Amino acid sequence: GLADPRDVLDQQVATRQQAGERQPDLPGLAEDDVIERPKCLIQTGIQVFQGVGATGAVDIRNFGTLSGAVAVAGAPAGTAFTLTNSGTMTGRVNVTGSSVAASQLTNSGVWNLGTGDSTFSGNMANSGTLNMADGAINTLTVAGNLTFGTGSVFRVDVGNGVNDRVNVTGTATLNGSLLAFATGSVFTAGTYTLLNAAGGINGNKIVLVIEDEQGKKEEAINVFKKLIFKDNVLMVFGPT
């Protein structure tokens, strides 16, 4: 496991007190003033290393701000890897080799994936905001099952024939809302696969179909008919 820096600091203070050492002077603080333990500990990425033949569990929890080009990374073979974010996490997650059945990524805050592809070997549950919309086209691979909870938000970049994408090796359960942002500020007509689950999403993959009604009432009617009767889409949305 990872040592909590606050616990390490408390132990150092206790050791100095037992040895009769005086604590360093701090401007504006009396000797008996109480200093609160910080609520936010980590502001750079976390790299998890595994010793040869080591086993066990990794449990990382972010309640504040966790950021880095790579927020969390590691290849702990066979380890139960738990990553919980209820704050703001910015950067890629590259966790491979962990036990899929015993590993869990839970996001109830905001995860800004940043530039580059992310991979998590385990199941993932999102009840917060999964933000892939950063102007770059990226892929998130979940080697397990994925669940989007009620009230969750999925933000993606779409356009010019390319788009952000989530690949799931297991099943996907979808709730919440989808926000698509145009790359280059222009939506290009076409079909975009935003999420693909090998185990099925009600037996199908999620596809975003974009059509241009050219600002014309007659063309809007033609586009609507095509989407409903030819493409057989389940939902239609657009500007009002």
Side-chain angles (χ1 to χ4, degrees), residues 7-225:
D7 293 333
V8 174
L9 178 61
D10 288 348
Q11 182 60 46
Q12 291 175 346
V13 171
T15 301
R16 287 186 176 185
Q17 289 176 339
Q18 291 173 1
E21 296 182 20
R22 188 173 180 274
Q23 297 305 308
D25 292 329
L26 296 175
L29 291 179
E31 191 170 335
D32 58 350
D33 281 345
V34 176
I35 304 176
E36 291 187 1
R37 289 162 61 128
K39 297 179 180 179
C40 178
L41 298 177
I42 304 168
Q43 302 219 7
T44 56
I46 299 174
Q47 175 72 51
V48 177
F49 297 95
Q50 181 182 29
V52 177
T55 59
V58 177
D59 190 344
I60 299 173
R61 306 181 187 188
N62 176 52
F63 305 100
T65 300
L66 169 60
S67 63
V70 179
V72 178
T79 301
F81 200 110
T82 300
L83 172 57
T84 304
N85 175 55
S86 57
T88 299
M89 181 168 67
T90 300
R92 304 191 302 276
V93 168
N94 291 322
V95 175
T96 60
S98 55
S99 170
V100 172
S103 298
Q104 179 74 38
L105 192 165
T106 302
N107 177 54
S108 60
V110 176
W111 178 17
N112 303 306
L113 278 72
T115 302
D117 298 337
S118 291
T119 300
F120 184 76
S121 182
N123 301 310
M124 177 177 171
N126 177 57
S127 60
T129 297
L130 180 64
N131 182 26
M132 300 183 72
D134 61 353
I137 301 303
N138 307 307
T139 299
L140 166 63
T141 300
V142 178
N145 300 323
L146 171 64
T147 300
F148 280 95
T150 302
S152 65
V153 178
F154 181 29
R155 295 165 53 97
V156 293
D157 289 313
V158 173
N160 297 323
V162 294
N163 58 273
D164 292 325
R165 177 168 173 156
V166 177
N167 292 322
V168 183
T169 64
T171 61
T173 302
L174 303 182
N175 294 285
S177 59
L178 168 68
L179 299 179
F181 296 86
T183 57
S185 302
V186 177
F187 278 118
T188 305
T191 301
Y192 299 87
T193 300
L194 303 181
L195 191 151
N196 187 31
I201 313 166
N202 295 328
N204 300 289
K205 60 185 178 182
I206 294 299
V207 174
L208 178 66
V209 181
I210 298 177
E211 296 289 348
D212 182 11
E213 40 76 33
Q214 304 173 24
K216 301 177 182 178
K217 178 180 179 181
E218 296 77 9
E219 186 62 23
I221 294 174
N222 292 333
V223 166
F224 182 80
K225 289 181 178 179

Side-chain angles (χ1 to χ4, degrees), residues 223-236:
V223 166
F224 182 80
K225 289 181 178 179
K226 174 183 178 294
L227 292 172
I228 297 297
F229 299 112
K230 182 179 179 180
D231 297 322
N232 297 314
V233 300
L234 298 177
M235 180 185 300
V236 176

